[in-house]
């Protein structure tokens, strides 16, 4: 790996000036390296982080058949990584005009990394530095503990998708001035919601009631408020006293839960394992926002490379070359998805819509198709709007909020289905729907989504760790359950149970001929099962 | 063999008494008697390869810089597969399930030899959603662009044969997209230290199998490792005669000899081809209807392993012939066809063995070659009691250096026909040096397969 030459660096600096002028914001420094195939071989298993810890699996062919991107929530071949300074990688034979385009694309990504709030937790430190010290910790442990270090890495990695990314993120946004007593927190957060199971309406009423107290009584509010509560819920105080003794446990972050609660890991001879778990956990959390903003991030970078490249005076004469490469990157596939194309179109669409004032409440209230079509308030605030979008949203919200019929109609988008024609024994690809809602749901369905697995601290028998998989319409990959649970059992030191749902295929009662019609829904039913891993033996029980 | 002939034979067998389970299997085979054995057509990507492509598979390096994934040259990291296997063995000792799959087979290419490569691979398991569980007949959905109306058909793709059909070739769908010539590890390397062809005899030294041996055989004038005194003296005498320094034989005074540097003759170390006996290996596999599924996979896996080991160990110098049989046997020209041909039809082991004998007799191969026969089957044979097979086996044993029979048993069956008549014949006891039999169940893993090879050829 070597730095790009001075000539190319100058081009990059020129790109930075122009990108800043257009409103992007990013740190001054950046590092650009030329990478060879050999470098890539070493970098790609380490997700392009040159200083990532060593692990033997990095050196073997890894089978990634099922759900590759669920298993590896990070892109092994990113061009730019979210470090301080950001590091980006280039082929050594790119012509200058292509570099200009790639630089703009990279700057788009850097702007996104440094301004999108889902990356908030990565802003304060340089991940390569962190990774380097982690790597040293692991190397040192490996010298002492040998292969056991690799087992712990393996077990930790097998649950590194079950980390509380959002719980890590949310405290960063809590206003420091907001200070409430633990009694108040307990009353609103736990007592009303968990114990009393209040409806949302009643809950909001209760909050309003408290706010009235604050408005009327100021400092005294809380005391008088709880004086009333004691009358209303005489049991409240007892509940509160009982709960204050109990340490709050994170229930959706399995790795952290193990670090904090596993008796096995707490033993003196095993404490070293905790640092490995923590390394794996932090690495995973670092990469989480990346996969949750794939469409936005690529769309944003493509939007800007298109816009800025065409304005750049240095590349005159290469418009056709650019058009060819750019079209290759951002053309909508006839069938299939392309995050660059979809994201970029959505940003352009939003900019135009906001320019005309079509993102406003007034517009959304319009029901007349003709009026909607011709609506143009001439706001000209499109760019501001998309800058806000890039700051505040992730892929899920981006797609959910903004894919509408106007968008899918404009770009002629539809949902492609694939079904079996049993008579002719062919798979048919067909236009399943042109409805924007269906298109949106299809898109949302392709997004990264780790299973929602919660720890139930009450349910486990004989100290067993009880995991509940909240079923969301997809079952877990069955072949993986056994080995994953072996790892969790090792780290927990006691048996592990996993409650989940599994598909039961029932034969159709009547044979279909021809394409299945929409109404005849699946012969598939779900049943709840519990897996128990005890002393490395897996048993399965239907609930 | 035509279906009606088979039907006749089945009737005859029934008269002699057949247990119902065997009869059912025979009937199943009969059903498929006329299906063809052609290797499956290569998998079609379909009209829309982008259909199931994840949005996360797009990445800047490929899209912007055309830098595609670089295959990982495993050899760069691991001195040998042995390190990996050692790690895996250690895992078992430490009480964790094995994780490395050695025999991840890659479909051999057509024609060319030396293409059988095996990649050590592993999987990282996590609790993740399974995207493939969906109602039958439903293929998922993705995006698309165009002006078609709802319900319009965009394209079609024939359904690929699956296991339930006449039978799928074992290599199907495995390792697609891997570049065979890429840096994958050759399995043969790992097996080399463990195995040697047994009972190699000196026969018709026409070819060398192994590498060179080094010997001080070549001569060089002027410099070298060891002075050849006799040759040097002769050279000196010649030189001196030419110079007129040796007027008559009576007046010989060696002190007056002039010695030119070039006169010194040395022996130098040089590579010598080491001629060794040559070998011919027959791979014989049952591809009758009953072989559908795992058993075929096992048998071909084992044969691939043997084949790749031979390629590596003997540098491709061992000749291989491939024979497939149902009730009739045929020879195929390359490993690809051998490996991929589909199963169908009835079973008669004798037909294949007979073909082996014919080939050997026709070309008098037994005079020049050490002959090895590896036969893989599920143990089913319409030829009850081995009346036809045993004489052929006796014949083979009269010239072969080793015959190895692999029986991959269907789960639930035990003591198959072939196993029974082999056992009854007493051959296994009488000639343990010449014939070996290995019986494994159909869910044997790779370690078991390698174990089987050891048993067959040790």
């Amino acid at each position: 790996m070597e730095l790009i030459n001075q000539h190319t660096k100058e081009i990059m600096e020129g790109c930075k000036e122009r990108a800043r002028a257009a409103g992007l914001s990013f740190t001054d420094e950046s590092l650009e390296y030329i990478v060879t195939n050999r470098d890539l071989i070493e970098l790609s298993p380490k997700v392009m982080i040159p200083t990532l810890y060593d692990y033997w699996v990095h050196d073997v062919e890894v089978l990634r058949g099922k759900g590759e991107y669920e298993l590896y929530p990070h892109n092994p071949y990113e061009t730019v990584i979210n470090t301080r300074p950001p590091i980006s990688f280039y082929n050594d034979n790119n012509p200058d005009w292509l570099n200009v385009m790639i630089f703009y694309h990279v700057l788009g990504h850097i702007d996104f990394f440094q301004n999108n709030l889902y990356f908030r937790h990565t802003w304060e430190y340089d991940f390569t530095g962190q990774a380097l010290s982690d790597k040293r910790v692991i190397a040192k442990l490996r010298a002492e503990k040998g292969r056991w270090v690799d087992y712990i890495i393996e077990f930790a990695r097998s649950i590194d998708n079950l980390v509380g990314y959002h719980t890590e993120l949310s405290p960063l946004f809590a206003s420091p001035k907001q200070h409430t007593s633990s009694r108040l927190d307990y009353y609103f957060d736990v007592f009303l919601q968990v114990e009393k199971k209040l409806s949302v309406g009643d809950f909001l009423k209760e909050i309003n009631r408290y706010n009235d107290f604050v408005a009327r009584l100021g400092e005294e509010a809380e005391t008088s408020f709880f004086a009333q509560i004691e009358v209303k819920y005489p049991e409240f105080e007892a509940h509160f006293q009982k709960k204050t003794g109990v340490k709050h446990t994170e229930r959706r972050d399995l790795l952290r839960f193990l670090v904090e609660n596993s008796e096995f890991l707490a033993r003196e001879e095993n404490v070293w394992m905790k640092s490995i778990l923590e390394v794996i956990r932090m690495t995973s959390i670092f990469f989480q926002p990346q996969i949750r903003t794939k469409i936005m991030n690529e769309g944003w970078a493509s939007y800007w490379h298109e816009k800025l490249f065409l304005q750049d005076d240095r590349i005159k004469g290469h418009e056709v070359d650019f058009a060819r490469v750019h079209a290759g990157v951002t053309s909508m596939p006839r069938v299939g998805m392309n995050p660059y194309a979809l994201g970029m179109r959505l940003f352009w669409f939003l900019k135009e819509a906001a320019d005309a004032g079509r993102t406003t409440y007034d517009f959304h209230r319009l029901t007349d198709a003709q009026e909607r079509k011709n609506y143009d308030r001439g706001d000209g605030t499109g760019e501001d709007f998309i800058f806000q979008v890039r700051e505040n949203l992730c892929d899920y919200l981006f797609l959910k909020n903004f894919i509408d019929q106007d968008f899918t109609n404009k770009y002629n988008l539809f949902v492609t289905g694939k079904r079996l024609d049993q008579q002719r024994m062919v798979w048919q690809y067909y236009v399943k729907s042109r409805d924007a809602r269906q298109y949106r749901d299809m898109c949302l369905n392709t997004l990264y989504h780790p299973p929602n697995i919660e720890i139930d601290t009450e349910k486990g028998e004989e100290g067993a760790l009880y995991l509940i998989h909240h079923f969301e319409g997809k079952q877990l990959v069955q072949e993986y359950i056994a080995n994953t649970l072996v790892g969790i059992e090792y780290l927990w030191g006691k048996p592990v149970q996993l409650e989940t749902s599994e598909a039961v295929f029932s034969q159709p009662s009547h044979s279909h001929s021809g394409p299945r019609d929409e109404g005849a829904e699946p012969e598939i039913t779900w049943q709840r099962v519990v897996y128990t891993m005890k002393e490395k033996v897996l048993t399965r029980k239907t609930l | 063999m035509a279906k009606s002939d088979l039907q006749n034979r089945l009737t005859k067998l029934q008269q002699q008494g057949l247990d119902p389970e065997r009869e059912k299997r025979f009937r199943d085979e009969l059903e498929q008697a006329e299906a063809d054995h052609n290797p499956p057509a290569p998998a079609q990507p379909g009209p829309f390869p982008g259909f199931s492509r994840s949005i996360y598979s797009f990445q800047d390096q490929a899209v912007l810089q055309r830098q595609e994934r670089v295959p990982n040259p495993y050899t760069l990291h691991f001195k040998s597969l042995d390190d990996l296997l050692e790690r895996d063995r250690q895992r078992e000792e430490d009480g964790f399930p094995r994780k490395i799959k050695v025999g991840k087979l890659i479909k051999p290419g057509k024609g060319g030899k030396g293409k059988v490569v095996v990649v050590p691979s592993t999987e990282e398991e996590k609790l993740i959603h399974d995207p493939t569980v969906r109602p039958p007949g439903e293929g998922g959905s993705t995006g698309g662009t165009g002006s078609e109306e709802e319900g319009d058909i965009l394209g079609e793709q024939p359904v690929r044969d699956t296991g339930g059909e006449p039978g799928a070739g074992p290599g199907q769908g495995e390792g697609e997209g891997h570049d065979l010539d890429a840096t994958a590890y050759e399995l043969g390397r790992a097996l080399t230290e463990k195995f040697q062809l047994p009972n190699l005899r000196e026969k018709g030294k026409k070819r060398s199998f192994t590498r060179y041996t080094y010997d001080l055989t070549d001569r060089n004038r002027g410099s070298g490792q060891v002075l050849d005194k006799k040759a040097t003296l002769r050279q000196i005498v010649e030189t001196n005669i030419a110079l007129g320094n040796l007027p008559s034989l009576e007046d010989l005074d060696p002190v007056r000899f002039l010695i030119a540097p070039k006169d010194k003759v040395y022996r130098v170390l040089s590579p010598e081809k080491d001629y060794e006996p040559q070998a011919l290996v027959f791979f014989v596999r049952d591809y009758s209807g009953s072989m559908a599924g795992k058993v075929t996979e096992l048998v071909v896996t084992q044969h691939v392993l043997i084949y790749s080991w031979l390629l590596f160990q003997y540098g491709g110098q061992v000749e291989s012939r491939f024979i497939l049989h149902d009730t009739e046997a045929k020879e195929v020209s390359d490993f690809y066809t051998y490996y991929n041909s589909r199963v169908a039809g009835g079973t008669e082991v004798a037909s294949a063995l007979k073909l082996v004998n014919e080939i050997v007799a026709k070309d008098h191969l037994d005079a020049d070659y050490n002959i090895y026969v590896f036969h893989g089957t599920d143990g089913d044979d319409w030829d009850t009691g081995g009346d036809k097979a045993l004489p052929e086996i006796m014949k083979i044993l009269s010239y072969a250096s080793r015959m190895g029979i692999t029986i991959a048993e269907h789960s639930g069956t035990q003591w198959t026909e072939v196993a029974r008549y082999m056992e009854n014949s007493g051959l296994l006891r009488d000639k343990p040096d010449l014939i070996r039999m290995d019986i494994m169940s159909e869910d044997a893993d790779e370690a078991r397969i390698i174990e089987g090879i050891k048993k067959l050829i040790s």
Side-chain angles (χ1 to χ4, degrees):
Chain A
M1 266 189 2
E2 57 181 87
L3 287 168
I4 52 171
N5 59 31
Q6 285 301 304
H7 166 73
T8 322
K9 184 70 180 172
E10 200 184 322
I11 296 177
M12 178 54 152
E13 292 304 316
C15 290
K16 282 186 188 169
E17 273 171 34
R18 289 168 176 81
R20 278 218 175 86
L24 298 184
S25 71
F26 39 80
T27 48
D28 288 338
E29 287 80 24
S30 65
L31 286 169
E32 293 80 26
Y33 287 97
I34 299 290
V35 283
T36 59
N37 275 2
R38 207 192 158 83
D39 296 328
L40 281 174
I41 286 163
E42 283 177 22
L43 281 173
S44 65
K46 301 195 165 189
V47 264
M48 304 306 277
I49 306 292
T51 52
L52 203 73
Y53 61 87
D54 296 310
Y55 178 43
W56 66 271
V57 171
H58 292 157
D59 301 334
V60 210
E61 168 87 354
V62 179
L63 300 178
R64 307 165 164 220
K66 263 185 187 171
E68 162 167 9
Y69 302 99
E70 296 287 324
L71 281 179
Y72 297 91
H74 22 64
N75 189 340
Y77 277 96
E78 209 45 85
T79 276
V80 53
I81 56 175
N82 175 24
T83 50
R84 300 290 180 280
I87 298 175
S88 46
F89 306 99
Y90 304 88
N91 287 346
D92 63 351
N93 51 5
N94 292 341
D96 285 352
W97 67 265
L98 181 62
N99 270 335
V100 171
M101 172 179 157
I102 300 172
F103 287 154
Y104 282 132
H105 191 90
V106 162
L107 289 173
H109 281 318
I110 297 177
D111 169 82
F112 196 89
F113 288 148
Q114 300 189 354
N115 293 286
N116 182 281
L117 293 176
Y118 285 83
F119 289 87
R120 181 69 190 80
H121 63 300
T122 68
W123 290 356
E124 258 91 46
Y125 71 104
D126 168 33
F127 185 68
T128 40
Q130 165 90 40
L132 182 61
S133 78
D134 291 345
K135 178 188 170 132
R136 288 180 179 144
V137 167
I138 287 180
K140 184 167 164 285
L141 284 173
R142 199 176 269 127
E144 291 166 14
K145 315 285 179 190
R147 62 182 187 278
W148 292 93
V149 172
D150 291 292
Y151 291 137
I152 303 304
I153 295 179
E154 177 188 323
F155 300 151
R157 279 171 70 107
S158 76
I159 47 174
D160 74 352
N161 57 339
L162 308 179
V163 289
Y165 161 60
H166 294 102
T167 40
E168 193 76 12
L169 209 55
S170 65
L172 297 175
F173 294 97
S175 153
K177 279 181 195 152
Q178 198 95 45
H179 182 74
T180 50
S181 73
S182 59
R183 174 175 277 109
L184 203 59
D185 283 345
Y186 177 75
Y187 180 69
F188 283 106
D189 293 348
V190 184
F191 187 74
L192 291 185
Q193 297 184 60
V194 181
E195 304 279 330
K196 291 289 159 207
K197 299 199 169 54
L198 244 61
S199 73
V200 175
D202 290 343
F203 180 70
L204 290 178
K205 265 188 216 151
E206 194 65 8
I207 288 184
N208 273 338
R209 207 167 64 83
Y210 174 74
N211 284 341
D212 278 351
F213 269 80
V214 177
R216 277 191 289 121
L217 304 171
E219 300 266 308
E220 304 294 308
E222 199 176 320
T223 333
S224 352
F225 182 72
F226 278 107
Q228 277 198 4
I229 293 302
E230 224 180 309
V231 182
K232 197 173 172 190
Y233 301 114
E235 73 276 26
F236 170 75
E237 204 52 36
H239 274 269
F240 175 60
Q241 292 304 337
K242 196 173 133 200
K243 286 286 169 183
T244 39
V246 179
K247 199 169 60 171
H248 171 73
T249 46
E250 176 47 56
R251 307 208 302 168
R252 284 180 208 280
D253 189 329
L254 183 55
L255 267 173
R256 190 163 146 197
F257 181 85
L258 289 170
V259 168
E260 286 173 358
N261 298 291
S262 165
E263 286 169 26
F264 174 77
L265 294 179
R267 283 188 215 149
E268 202 184 327
E269 70 268 25
N270 295 334
V271 166
W272 60 272
M273 297 177 185
K274 287 188 182 183
S275 39
I276 293 182
L277 262 57
E278 202 51 42
V279 167
I280 305 295
R281 182 173 167 274
M282 291 313 289
T283 308
S284 170
I285 284 181
F286 173 81
F287 283 112
Q288 292 287 325
Q290 216 130 322
I291 195 158
R292 288 180 154 92
T293 55
K294 177 81 178 174
I295 295 173
M296 281 184 82
N297 205 338
E298 294 301 353
W300 182 252
S302 301
Y303 175 92
W304 286 104
H305 86 230
E306 177 182 287
K307 188 165 172 145
L308 293 172
F309 187 92
L310 292 176
Q311 290 170 2
D312 198 309
D313 48 337
R314 297 170 300 175
I315 47 83
K316 288 272 174 283
H318 288 287
E319 287 82 356
V320 175
D321 296 326
F322 167 77
R324 189 175 293 136
V325 174
H326 180 65
V329 174
T330 61
S331 61
M332 271 293 195
R334 176 87 167 102
V335 163
M337 301 277 285
N338 173 340
Y340 297 77
L342 182 63
M344 188 186 81
R345 276 175 184 66
L346 202 44
F347 272 119
W348 276 114
F349 174 77
L350 287 176
K351 179 184 179 299
E352 282 164 19
D355 273 341
R358 285 203 293 264
T359 53
T360 56
Y361 183 56
D362 289 346
F363 174 76
H364 284 299
R365 280 185 55 191
L366 283 181
T367 48
D368 185 297
Q370 198 56 36
E371 272 184 58
R372 282 177 79 95
K373 200 174 168 192
N374 298 330
Y375 192 90
D376 188 351
R377 247 175 29 180
D379 285 6
T381 52
E383 208 118 272
D384 291 344
F385 186 75
I386 58 171
F387 268 99
Q388 275 178 24
V389 169
R390 84 88 158 84
E391 184 172 311
N392 291 298
L393 301 187
C394 64
D395 278 348
Y396 179 78
L397 293 171
F398 185 54
L399 299 178
K400 189 167 167 49
N401 292 355
F402 300 128
I403 289 185
D404 58 17
Q405 202 65 51
D406 291 339
F407 175 70
T408 54
N409 286 351
K410 177 167 184 181
Y411 293 104
N412 251 330
L413 304 178
F414 55 75
V415 180
T416 313
K418 184 180 173 185
R419 66 186 169 198
L420 185 65
D421 181 341
Q422 284 195 327
Q423 229 160 28
R424 297 173 45 230
M425 282 317 275
V426 287
W427 285 105
Q428 288 181 333
Y429 298 86
Y430 68 109
V431 181
K432 195 173 179 183
S433 173
R434 287 192 160 273
D435 185 340
R437 280 165 301 187
Q438 291 215 27
Y439 189 82
R440 188 185 61 198
D441 290 348
M442 180 276 301
C443 290
L444 294 178
N445 207 22
T446 63
L447 294 182
Y448 171 73
H449 185 63
N452 178 0
I453 291 179
E454 200 184 355
I455 300 141
D456 191 316
T457 45
E458 322 264 294
K459 247 180 162 174
E461 298 154 11
E462 301 162 30
L465 183 66
Y466 198 90
L467 305 174
I468 297 176
H469 171 219
H470 294 284
F471 184 59
E472 294 168 283
K474 282 182 191 159
Q475 75 174 42
L476 301 177
V477 175
Q478 276 168 311
E479 308 90 283
Y480 291 170
I481 290 177
N483 278 356
T484 311
L485 292 189
V486 165
I488 304 175
E489 187 197 14
Y490 184 84
L491 295 175
W492 180 241
K494 284 179 203 158
V496 178
Q497 293 180 292
L498 171 70
E499 184 184 317
T500 180
S501 293
E502 278 177 2
V504 182
F505 292 94
S506 48
Q507 287 299 319
S509 46
H510 52 96
S511 65
H512 294 290
S513 54
R516 218 162 41 72
D517 50 304
E518 290 299 309
E521 264 315 291
E523 290 79 21
I524 204 170
T525 49
W526 300 98
Q527 71 179 14
R528 212 61 190 154
V529 297
V530 179
Y531 285 97
T532 305
M533 175 61 70
K534 191 174 180 185
E535 282 155 16
K536 291 173 191 143
V537 179
L538 187 70
T539 49
R540 178 176 177 277
K541 199 175 79 188
T542 310
L543 283 183
Chain B
M1 192 178 283
K3 200 168 178 174
S4 55
D5 294 348
L6 276 176
Q7 182 65 55
N8 291 341
R9 291 191 52 177
L10 186 59
T11 325
K12 228 181 263 172
L13 282 171
Q14 275 168 331
Q15 285 159 4
Q16 292 165 12
L18 253 181
D19 66 80
E21 192 205 344
R22 262 186 91 197
E23 188 182 330
K24 184 183 172 296
R25 274 210 301 277
F26 288 176
R27 286 208 175 279
D28 288 347
E29 291 194 346
L30 190 66
E31 283 303 301
Q32 307 166 4
E34 272 153 13
D36 66 48
H37 283 296
N38 295 337
Q44 298 292 330
F48 303 113
F51 183 84
S52 46
R53 186 172 177 191
S54 160
I55 56 163
Y56 301 108
S57 69
F58 288 82
Q59 26 109 351
D60 285 355
Q61 287 289 346
V63 169
L64 294 173
Q65 309 202 43
R66 305 205 175 167
Q67 174 71 59
E68 281 302 339
R69 274 194 175 183
V70 188
N72 193 350
Y74 320 95
T75 40
L76 213 136
H77 300 283
F78 272 97
K79 284 187 278 333
S80 76
L81 194 53
D82 295 347
D83 290 1
L84 271 176
L85 292 175
E86 173 61 25
R87 180 184 283 277
D88 221 24
R89 201 186 50 73
Q90 187 70 56
R91 287 182 68 89
E92 204 160 47
E93 247 169 56
D94 293 334
F96 302 116
R98 285 183 174 237
K99 221 164 156 60
I100 291 165
K101 299 186 177 165
V102 189
K104 171 71 183 172
L105 293 176
I106 289 191
K107 205 186 318 191
K110 214 163 193 167
K113 54 179 180 176
K115 286 223 165 188
V116 184
V117 285
V118 176
V119 184
S121 59
T122 188
E123 250 176 318
E124 292 200 79
E125 290 123 329
K126 294 180 193 184
L127 300 177
I128 55 166
H129 288 139
D130 190 340
T132 58
V133 175
R134 56 167 87 96
E138 179 59 62
S141 57
T142 185
T145 36
S147 48
E148 287 83 356
E149 290 302 310
E150 276 185 21
D152 286 359
I153 308 288
L154 302 170
E156 289 183 343
Q157 178 188 9
V159 176
R160 266 202 274 160
D161 290 331
T162 45
E165 290 297 295
Q172 212 171 33
E174 288 280 293
E176 269 167 346
H178 281 275
D179 183 358
L180 290 181
D181 292 323
T183 48
Y185 203 97
E186 290 158 82
L187 179 77
R189 161 88 183 66
L191 300 174
T192 301
E193 288 107 51
K194 296 177 185 133
F195 308 132
Q196 287 253 313
L197 276 178
N199 305 336
L200 263 183
R201 281 189 297 260
E202 308 252 317
K203 274 187 180 179
K205 291 190 169 186
K206 282 181 188 158
R207 265 233 236 170
S208 129
F209 277 167
T210 46
R211 307 123 291 262
Y212 293 98
T213 54
Y214 287 84
D215 205 355
L216 289 166
T217 45
D218 281 16
R219 292 174 180 178
N220 187 34
R221 290 168 68 171
S223 65
Q225 275 102 8
V226 177
L227 187 70
D228 184 337
K229 289 177 190 162
K230 193 172 169 186
T232 304
L233 197 58
R234 191 179 290 135
Q235 203 60 45
I236 293 170
V237 172
E238 265 178 39
T239 310
N240 282 283
I241 291 174
L243 289 172
N245 209 8
L246 206 144
S248 76
L249 278 176
E250 284 78 55
D251 184 24
L252 231 170
D253 184 3
V255 183
R256 278 185 300 154
F257 278 178
L258 289 172
I259 302 171
K262 275 272 175 191
D263 289 343
K264 291 182 180 166
V265 178
Y266 291 88
R267 294 202 174 243
V268 291
L269 205 57
S270 68
E272 290 298 313
K273 262 199 175 165
D274 193 10
Y275 289 94
E276 279 191 26
Q278 43 190 355
L280 176 65
V281 177
F282 283 97
F283 288 102
V284 183
R285 125 168 133 82
D286 177 0
Y287 67 168
S288 66
S290 61
M291 291 290 288
K294 274 186 170 171
V295 285
T296 291
E297 219 163 287
L298 272 188
V299 166
V300 291
T301 301
Q302 191 171 51
H303 285 180
V304 164
L305 293 177
I306 297 176
Y307 183 64
S308 49
W309 159 64
L310 287 173
L311 278 179
F312 188 89
Q313 173 84 330
Y314 298 104
Q317 301 235 39
V318 172
E319 288 184 29
S320 323
R321 308 284 283 259
F322 307 102
I323 292 172
L324 290 160
H325 76 88
D326 46 14
T327 44
E328 281 156 17
K330 69 166 181 179
E331 186 178 0
V332 293
S333 57
D334 56 42
F335 197 83
Y336 179 84
T337 320
Y338 178 73
Y339 183 77
N340 286 296
S341 290
R342 285 192 272 193
V343 300
T347 319
E348 190 172 301
V349 174
S351 63
L353 302 176
K354 198 167 153 211
L355 183 63
V356 171
N357 281 326
E358 279 168 15
I359 292 172
V360 170
K362 196 173 124 228
D363 300 338
H364 298 291
L365 296 170
D366 52 332
D368 288 339
Y369 289 92
N370 287 283
I371 294 175
Y372 299 86
V373 181
F374 294 105
H375 181 217
T377 172
D378 61 348
D380 225 352
D381 196 348
W382 290 43
D383 167 26
T384 314
D387 295 343
K388 294 184 190 161
L390 286 173
E392 300 292 342
I393 291 177
M394 297 295 280
K395 214 181 212 178
I396 289 176
L397 294 184
S398 66
Y399 57 77
S401 303
R402 175 64 59 85
M403 177 166 182
I405 299 175
T406 307
I407 298 177
E409 284 183 340
H410 291 282
S411 54
T413 55
Q414 244 185 2
W415 219 224
T416 56
E417 190 57 32
V418 176
R420 189 175 322 157
Y421 66 62
M422 285 308 301
E423 207 58 52
N424 291 343
S425 70
L427 284 173
L428 296 170
R429 276 189 310 279
D430 298 347
K431 304 187 173 172
D433 207 33
L434 289 182
I435 185 162
R436 298 278 173 87
M437 185 166 78
D438 181 37
I439 302 175
M440 51 187 160
S441 68
E442 69 174 346
D443 44 15
D445 59 3
E446 279 137 5
R448 175 68 186 79
I449 295 173
I450 292 176
E451 198 55 41
I453 300 180
K454 265 187 212 162
K455 195 166 163 193
L456 296 182
I457 66 180
S458 61

